Amino acid sequence: MPELPEVETVRRGLLPALAGARIARVEQRRPDLRFPFPPGFVERVTGRRVLGLRRRAKYLLADLDSGETLVMHLGMSGSFRVDGATPGLFHHPRDKNAAHDHVVFHMESGARVTYNDPRRFGFMLLIPTPELDRHKLFEGLGVEPLGPALDAAFLARAFRGRKAPTKALLLDQRLIAGLGNIYVCEALHRAGVSPLAAGGSLVKAAGAPTAALGRLPGAIREVLEAALAAGGSSLRDHRQADGSLGYFQHRFRVYDREGAACPTPGCHGAILRAVQSGRSTFYCPDCQKPRPCRSGSGKP
DNA sequence: AACACCCCCTGTCGGC
DNA sequence: TGCCGACAGGGGGTGT
């Protein structure tokens, strides 16, 4: 499930149960997820108070009063469920997946925060809080797509001279941190940019962004904001921490819509599926042409 | 350096 | 109905 809007939605959902709360007990039900849990994981987390819950890219960061930060990544199929403290919210179908409940945080308040992850591509680490920015996982991370650093000039600098397709560059967490396969497809469509075009083709010789590249930051921001407002996308029954479903998946314009009519007004194209670096790309070949002709004169 | 490809793991879905 | 391959929101590692 988890790209930026989903991880941020999870963060907000966990806030009431975690922020300022003390972890009374931890159940770690297996030795590893994608990576082994850090040595002494249970002991280092038990009894700690959670000072705050932040997000960076697709990582959740719980700052503990021990001076360590619990770093959590949801991988492809990770999710959190909160229950116990506020009865009567929403009853999650928990039994079905209980085999994949790998970590349970029992809060002092009585709330239970359960991490479930069938594919186990997620992971948890403990890193001293002051060292986070220097840690291997974070030091190379790119800009936050909803932050002020993402603009046309930034993309022009990042894309200049690059032969990799635009899709691959937008997925590269070292450039922009937080986008995933869905929202890259959606943003490219909204901007009218071909996912197949070389990144460098969107930058003029002098290093200035083309009109097409200029539309991308706004398109990225718009689609992320809209997804956030919808509580993220709920694919494969994925739920928010309170058990509710995000509904942005109903607003996908291209993702997983191969063969459907392009939703761009006036466009008569049909959505295609392509494979780029082993992952599906969905796009409209008519309004996402390699040579952007949507604005400006269209001259070379 | 930059890019393409493989892999980790489980579940689900479509085709035969 | 059942079996089998393809594919899934991520990203680390390796080989060219």
Side-chain angles (χ1 to χ4, degrees), chain A residues 5-83:
Chain A
E6 290 76 32
V7 177
E8 178 61 22
T9 298
V10 168
R11 187 188 74 84
R12 294 175 186 179
L14 292 178
L15 228 31
L18 288 188
R22 195 176 292 282
I23 301 166
R25 191 163 67 87
V26 181
E27 289 177 66
Q28 176 198 325
R29 297 181 176 170
R30 48 176 303 128
D32 54 43
L33 294 171
R34 175 172 185 174
F35 307 120
F37 281 88
F41 177 75
V42 168
E43 293 76 14
R44 286 157 75 184
V45 172
T46 299
R48 302 276 57 97
R49 188 176 292 282
V50 179
L51 302 177
L53 188 61
R54 299 178 284 151
R55 179 192 58 75
R56 170 74 169 109
K58 300 172 192 171
Y59 293 90
L60 282 170
L61 308 172
D63 298 315
L64 307 180
D65 66 357
S66 58
E68 293 193 300
T69 294
L70 173 57
V71 174
M72 297 172 281
H73 196 288
L74 305 177
M76 290 278 264
S77 59
S79 66
F80 280 99
R81 182 178 77 242
V82 176
D83 52 19

Side-chain angles (χ1 to χ4, degrees), chain A residues 103-159:
Chain A
V103 183
V104 184
F105 299 98
H106 297 265
M107 307 307 292
E108 199 174 52
S109 64
R112 272 199 314 273
V113 177
T114 303
Y115 179 69
N116 181 286
D117 188 354
R119 292 178 75 180
R120 303 201 303 276
F121 287 170
F123 55 88
M124 296 190 188
L125 300 176
L126 286 165
I127 300 173
T129 306
E131 293 174 20
L132 267 187
D133 290 343
R134 276 168 273 146
H135 190 276
K136 185 181 172 188
L137 284 178
F138 297 96
E139 69 172 355
L141 276 185
V143 302
E144 283 287 325
L146 290 176
L150 178 67
D151 57 20
F154 171 85
L155 288 182
R157 254 177 282 128
F159 284 16

